[in-house]
Amino acid sequence: QNERNNLFMPNTMDFDAVDSWAKAAWSWMTDKDCQVGFSLSLLCLILSVLGDGVLYKLLSPVKAASPELAPTAVLRPIANLTLSSWLMYYAIKQTVLSFGSFAVCAGAFMYAAAITLFSMWLLEYAYRGPSKGITINVREPQASFGKKNYSQSKSGIAPALFINFAWIHLSALLVPFELCIHIVMGNDHDRSLGEDGPEACEGMMAQEMNHGKAQLLYSRAAEKDFGFPAGYRKLYKWILMNAPSQVTLAIVCYLENGFVIFTALLSSKAWLFKALFPDKETDWLWAWHLMEESEHCWDSVEDALGRTQVLVLWAMWPLLSAYFLLFFFSNCVVESLLCGQLIRQLNPLALIPNICVWVFGFAVLAPSIALSNFLRLILHMKPSDDAYNRNVKNWRTNIYLNICDDQFKTTHVQLPHKELVDRESKSMSHFPKSKRGSIRNSLAFRAVPFVKNNTGEDMILNKLQEKAVKRVSSFRLSLYEKTEQDLAASGLFTPSDIDDAGFSRKSLRMLSVIGQELPSLESLSEKDGSDGEKIKST
């Protein structure tokens, strides 16, 4: 009778007669944290099996052109990120329980100190004046971006399957991110009015639009080939466009400065780039993109950092550091599993290189990016000009020229401009604040500084300045027109997809960017009898 009761009353089971593995399994099953993880895993699996199409039909209250554009598309990314967060929390908890909190904290502190010193040595971080700048080269494919291949070879990504899904996820973030930089770079029109003229900002504008366009094509191909959630792009676009502008600027600072240490680590050793990006079908994309990032990060970081409040940087740095650790540690594994690629492609022979590259991602790349940003964003130290130039030279020689030099042509060259080199920090008060304070509603800070000056008085633009601002605006419109053509030529997008991604002229007009308004500048001006024209605010 006692044995029969034990069978039907598991809580009173006598574990003395059970093997050790069964004890561990029972302990794991009854642990509340593990039960939460199991529930999240089951939810993510169900959502992945259903897919965006079924979720759209079942739950979407608003009819969209396609399931990827519906509000329900963000459910899968949110669930996957929640599961990834739980896995990272559980791994940290078990590490602390196994080694003790003091040992873990001491080890983490010593490791962080070593990475910080390494970053200071590699990029020569120190307190120094403005950078001299680097020439920016705009490179475009011999044919067009729409005719390049963005589909990854499934056999090619097998040696680095985990980290490859980190790059796919990063690309989903970079799509709205690059568009956001293109929109909010506050010095575009400042430069056009300065000594350097309108050419001073066209290179940076073209680079960022090209980056966003290429990453969008890469992300779309991954969504079609692997079933990667398209909702990530929608989620990140909503965050970047609707968050307070200071938060968006902090994200811009973090990511752009992260590219500096990222390219510095990879540029000296070509084999390291090949290990992280093994697919020969799409390695050109990252070799080209990071080549141009290494050229302009001195510029974009300086511009955004000078307009971001210190307290916002302090608050956002730990959040973004934890998020990118999540990126490289657990989320890439979760996505490879839920997209079915982990089971289909990973074979025992590829397991060891996969683990090695994965460990390098979360143990070296993520901490290096975090601590390099600590030096730049929190302590306001700077890499040296020699480090910047050495980074560009190494990347061009060791990686870019070996992979994709014959595939691209240089269409524009932007020299370091005197306006930014001489300006160390420009207060955010130079730019007007919107009612909601988001980037979407702060886009007037492209237009207003050239309608009113810092004291709120109407500005006087002479004919040369007016012509320069018009040229920048026309150039911006031409970038959107060309992007629409390239995306349509790829065959991966409908017009609705392009609008939703934010890369169409329609999206530009909806955001009320100055580029759409300035071609009709004559209708907004009044002759005042002087050499200039007084521009009235609309």
Side-chain angles (χ1 to χ4, degrees):
Q1 183 64 35
N2 289 337
E3 291 178 356
R4 186 177 296 119
N5 290 338
N6 287 337
L7 290 175
F8 293 97
M9 298 178 63
N11 291 330
T12 61
M13 184 180 295
D14 182 11
F15 281 116
D16 293 336
V18 182
D19 294 333
S20 59
W21 65 268
K23 292 181 182 179
W26 179 259
S27 175
W28 188 84
M29 291 173 61
T30 55
D31 184 77
K32 291 184 178 179
D33 287 338
C34 295
Q35 291 173 352
V36 170
F38 177 78
S39 301
L40 289 173
S41 302
L42 186 61
L43 173 63
C44 291
L45 185 61
I46 292 174
L47 292 178
S48 297
V49 171
L50 291 177
D52 292 332
V54 176
L55 292 174
Y56 166 69
K57 293 178 181 179
L58 293 176
L59 303 175
S60 180
V62 180
K63 296 302 179 182
S66 63
E68 291 83 1
L69 307 183
T72 53
V74 302
L75 293 178
R76 289 176 61 196
I78 292 175
N80 294 357
L81 288 171
T82 305
L83 174 59
S84 303
S85 302
W86 175 86
L87 288 172
M88 189 168 74
Y89 152 78
Y90 190 75
I92 295 173
K93 175 185 174 182
Q94 293 302 315
T95 302
V96 171
L97 291 177
S98 300
F99 298 98
S101 57
F102 177 79
V104 171
C105 291
F109 178 80
M110 290 188 290
Y111 186 69
I115 294 290
T116 303
L117 292 174
F118 174 74
S119 299
M120 294 181 68
W121 169 79
L122 183 63
L123 292 173
E124 302 174 7
Y125 272 103
Y127 292 102
R128 48 172 52 95
S131 300
K132 295 180 180 178
I134 300 172
T135 299
I136 292 175
N137 295 277
V138 180
R139 304 167 180 85
E140 296 186 1
Q142 298 289 352
S144 70
F145 282 101
K147 296 181 180 180
K148 296 286 290 182
N149 176 48
Y150 298 89
S151 295
Q152 302 177 69
S153 166
K154 295 183 178 180
S155 60
I157 66 173
L161 184 62
F162 297 149
I163 204 73
N164 184 74
F165 273 85
W167 307 140
I168 295 175
H169 190 169
L170 178 61
S171 181
L173 170 59
L174 290 178
V175 171
F177 172 79
E178 300 287 1
L179 178 64
C180 185
I181 298 179
H182 170 70
I183 292 174
V184 306
M185 280 294 286
N187 56 17
D188 281 356
H189 290 91
D190 281 340
R191 298 173 189 178
S192 69
L193 297 178
E195 296 178 5
D196 298 315
E199 295 88 351
C201 59
E202 292 180 354
M204 182 72 176
M205 293 165 61
Q207 274 196 349
E208 298 297 359
M209 276 295 286
N210 289 341
H211 295 171
K213 172 175 33 179
Q215 296 297 159
L216 177 58
L217 290 163
Y218 176 83
S219 294
R220 188 60 170 166
E223 292 160 9
K224 288 185 173 294
D225 294 342
F226 303 122
F228 189 81
Y232 275 111
R233 290 191 285 113
K234 193 174 187 68
L235 177 64
Y236 289 134
K237 180 188 174 187
W238 184 89
I239 293 173
L240 289 170
M241 288 297 181
N242 292 279
S245 57
Q246 286 287 298
V247 172
T248 304
L249 284 169
I251 296 174
V252 169
C253 292
Y254 192 97
L255 267 174
E256 286 289 292
N257 191 65
F259 282 128
V260 179
I261 187 67
F262 185 85
T263 53
L265 286 170
L266 272 60
S267 61
S268 58
K269 305 294 182 183
W271 63 265
L272 190 55
F273 176 85
K274 294 179 181 179
L276 293 173
F277 302 94
D279 181 39
K280 296 187 180 301
E281 297 293 329
T282 56
D283 59 351
W284 67 267
L285 172 70
W286 297 103
W288 157 77
H289 187 163
L290 295 173
M291 175 74 256
E292 296 193 343
E293 291 292 345
S294 67
E295 288 180 345
H296 76 229
C297 282
W298 71 273
D299 183 339
S300 55
V301 175
E302 186 73 26
D303 179 76
L305 189 59
R307 298 185 284 123
T308 310
Q309 296 173 3
V310 173
L311 292 179
V312 176
L313 292 172
W314 288 1
M316 292 298 295
W317 177 78
L319 293 176
L320 292 171
S321 299
Y323 189 75
F324 276 92
L325 180 60
L326 175 74
F327 230 78
F328 289 104
F329 177 67
S330 55
N331 183 259
C332 59
V333 179
V334 168
E335 294 297 346
S336 63
L337 177 63
L338 293 176
C339 291
Q341 302 307 310
L342 180 61
I343 297 175
R344 296 175 188 171
Q345 295 188 46
L346 192 59
N347 58 68
L349 296 177
L351 185 61
I352 293 178
N354 256 286
I355 292 177
C356 292
V357 174
W358 173 59
V359 170
F360 178 82
F362 75 79
V364 178
L365 283 182
S368 297
I369 292 172
L371 294 167
S372 178
N373 274 292
F374 178 79
L375 295 172
R376 186 71 181 94
L377 276 56
I378 306 301
L379 300 183
H380 291 279
M381 302 172 74
K382 286 184 176 181
S384 69
D385 288 320
D386 290 340
Y388 276 129
N389 285 286
R390 182 171 60 249
N391 193 11
V392 172
K393 180 181 177 181
N394 288 341
W395 192 274
R396 181 187 296 115
T397 304
N398 298 333
I399 297 174
Y400 178 78
L401 293 178
N402 294 331
I403 295 177
C404 56
D405 182 49
D406 58 339
Q407 303 178 38
F408 286 83
K409 58 186 178 183
T410 301
T411 60
H412 190 94
V413 176
Q414 177 180 309
L415 299 176
H417 47 281
K418 186 176 184 299
E419 187 275 329
L420 184 60
V421 171
D422 289 345
R423 175 178 59 81
E424 180 63 11
S425 286
K426 181 177 286 186
S427 171
M428 188 63 190
S429 62
H430 176 77
F431 300 93
K433 296 180 180 179
S434 65
K435 295 181 180 179
R436 289 178 55 195
S438 66
I439 291 299
R440 180 182 295 277
N441 293 280
S442 296
L443 290 173
F445 68 73
R446 284 191 166 282
V448 176
F450 316 104
V451 174
K452 293 181 179 295
N453 60 20
N454 293 344
T455 61
E457 299 174 352
D458 287 340
M459 287 184 66
I460 302 297
L461 301 182
N462 60 41
K463 292 186 178 296
L464 289 178
Q465 291 174 325
E466 178 185 328
K467 183 178 179 181
V469 174
K470 284 183 178 181
R471 171 169 170 172
V472 173
S473 304
S474 299
F475 184 74
R476 184 181 304 282
L477 283 176
S478 70
L479 291 177
Y480 278 82
E481 291 173 358
K482 188 174 182 180
T483 297
E484 281 188 283
Q485 295 171 2
D486 285 340
L487 294 178
S490 68
L492 296 173
F493 295 92
T494 63
S496 298
D497 295 331
I498 299 174
D499 286 342
D500 185 71
F503 286 88
S504 67
R505 285 168 292 175
K506 178 181 177 181
S507 302
L508 180 65
R509 289 192 294 272
M510 289 173 62
L511 293 172
S512 299
V513 178
I514 187 173
Q516 185 267 336
E517 299 171 356
L518 279 179
S520 60
L521 195 60
E522 293 81 4
S523 64
L524 306 178
S525 62
E526 289 182 349
K527 297 288 184 180
D528 63 354
S530 63
D531 293 335
E533 291 185 353
K534 193 172 185 178
I535 308 304
K536 284 190 173 182
S537 177
T538 57

